[in-house]
Amino acid sequence: MRKLIAIAALIFGIWAGQAAMAAQASATVHVRWTILPFAAISLTGQPGQESVVATTPIPDPSPADYQRGFIVIQDALKLTVFSNTSWTVYVQALSPNLGTSFDGEFTWPIEALSAGVNGNFVSVSLHPQALARGGRGVHSLPVDYRISIPQQPLPPGNYQVTLLYTVTTD
């Protein structure tokens, strides 16, 4: 019986010693993460994406428009950029013209259209053009359009433009 008690005490001592050592053990863990550059663009009121498409009808020119040679559409749309780094917004036409007259004799070239933010206009083309730049944060970009018009009255037709706005991180 004494032998049995001695063996039990020995086993208990070994177990208690391991438990005490385990309680004193420690480990070091290094946690690392990477935050990648991020930028998203949205039409105000819509979820953010890398690009958005907007279609804007072109109004009939007024006599004042003919006199100055262009139509101005102020605040044609509002873009919002969300970013944690510097960014650039590009504008690009998805068609080579602003439309054609019903009789097919007049085509309004895309080069007649400029887009601008804060009075800084760029000519729109089938290739992306830098429209605005900024830094991290949330930025509201009211976009204006300026459309050159011919001296003679525009013939009846369907005139509109579809533009692609894309944001990239710099």
Side-chain angles (χ1 to χ4, degrees):
M1 178 77 165
R2 281 185 165 186
K3 230 182 193 182
L4 189 57
I5 293 175
I7 292 173
L10 180 64
I11 291 173
F12 178 76
I14 292 172
W15 176 79
Q18 287 178 343
M21 287 182 3
Q24 295 177 3
S26 63
T28 302
V29 176
H30 296 279
V31 178
R32 295 182 184 157
W33 61 91
T34 301
I35 299 175
L36 299 175
F38 170 83
I41 190 171
S42 70
L43 290 169
T44 300
Q46 295 185 359
Q49 304 171 14
E50 290 179 5
S51 62
V52 294
V53 175
T55 301
T56 301
I58 300 169
D60 291 332
S62 69
D65 293 333
Y66 279 113
Q67 186 173 12
R68 71 174 171 238
F70 57 89
I71 300 169
V72 174
I73 306 173
Q74 290 187 317
D75 294 333
L77 60 97
K78 285 196 186 332
L79 299 172
T80 303
V81 174
F82 310 87
S83 183
N84 67 353
T85 187
S86 58
W87 50 267
T88 302
V89 170
Y90 294 90
V91 60
Q92 175 181 1
L94 296 182
S95 62
N97 60 59
L98 301 174
T100 303
S101 62
F102 292 137
D103 63 12
E105 292 187 20
F106 174 77
T107 299
W108 208 347
I110 195 65
E111 293 78 21
L113 176 64
S114 297
V117 173
N118 297 324
N120 298 314
F121 285 87
V122 297
S123 294
V124 174
S125 77
L126 291 171
H127 305 287
Q129 304 296 315
L131 178 66
R133 288 179 163 65
R136 63 184 184 185
V138 178
H139 303 272
S140 179
L141 304 174
V143 179
D144 302 327
Y145 296 139
R146 185 169 52 204
I147 307 159
S148 298
I149 53 177
Q151 293 298 317
Q152 73 277 9
L154 285 170
N158 287 323
Y159 304 111
Q160 71 175 14
V161 62
T162 300
L163 301 176
L164 174 67
Y165 294 89
T166 305
V167 65
T168 61
T169 58
D170 296 337

